Amino acid sequence: MARLILPEDFLSQKLLFNNVKAKADTATGAAVIGAFLAAQGIDLVADNTAKDSATAFDQTRSEKSKQAENFTQKRDLKFDPVFGHLRDYAQFLKKFYKPVTSELGNWGLPVTATGRINYPTEFGLRTEIMEAFSVKYASVPAASNPLNPYLALHNYSITDDMVAVTDARGFHEQAKQLAKDAEDATEDRNNVWLPVVEHVRSIGGFLMGLYNNNPKELGNWGFVVDDSPRAPKQVVSKVKLSSQLKVPSLIIGGTLKNIGTVAIHIYKGASVSGSPVIVPPGEMYGIAKGYSVITVVNPSTTTTAVFSALRSR
């Protein structure tokens, strides 16, 4: 059974609308859907104006989202080395206090009853652990502080670590505000754009009924029709730290969504070559012709990437 695949990302939706309007503006296209548009009260000229307004909001969303990602990267560049130090400190103290690993809890470390340290993934919670650790460190006299020999040997400084934490928190707050600004722009875009999407959906449904014996005819209007035996479905995938994943069987015209908290890099085909498409957290990417097989790379060294994509299997 043929199925109409409607894109979920704005850029692909806008391209589809442009194709539909261009076809509707021709004499043959108007003859096909003119009466339907009038009956449904659909004004493609007004929708085109709404598209321009939505495009402006989407540009703001894109700019704010990129700026938020930039500040997030600055945050991680400041904090990731500090968190690496913290892990080193914890392992050293674990050996120092062995077998009484519960003593690590007095340093603010999230140690379990079995002696395992369970670090949280959320940035704010990690900085709180580092802050509690620094408070404990400062409370122990220098002469009896078990960490001082380790710090001296490795040229580490808790003071320098906390300066970096302060800087990282500043970047984090800027990233949060920019992400909020991007969300506001997305909401503004959707308010003017989603009614247009519904019009396109209605037109597609009408054309599917009209061309029920030849649904591929919808391709002339820009629509994607899938006639694979099994209906495609959204498949959630994960990419481990600093790893890559080959993703086959993507539906052309479908959408890949970054539902994780780190940006992902998309490469065409089964190899990592050329310039990637970068999809920030919360963003979507429309699957164009030639991208039925892609390779997704997670550049993060601290966080697993998560995405969903419309696939035939």
Side-chain angles (χ1 to χ4, degrees), residues 66-85:
K66 289 176 182 177
Q67 291 170 8
E69 178 66 18
N70 183 44
F71 277 107
T72 298
Q73 290 178 350
K74 289 182 177 180
R75 178 201 72 185
D76 293 344
L77 287 172
K78 277 289 183 181
F79 185 70
D80 286 355
V82 174
F83 195 67
H85 295 172

Side-chain angles (χ1 to χ4, degrees), residues 238-246 263-265 267 272 295-305 307:
K238 295 183 178 180
V239 188
K240 296 180 180 180
L241 316 182
S242 302
S243 298
Q244 63 186 53
L245 177 68
K246 177 184 173 183
I264 57 177
H265 294 188
Y267 293 86
V272 179
T295 299
V296 178
V297 174
N298 175 15
S300 175
T301 60
T302 60
T303 307
T304 297
F307 67 93

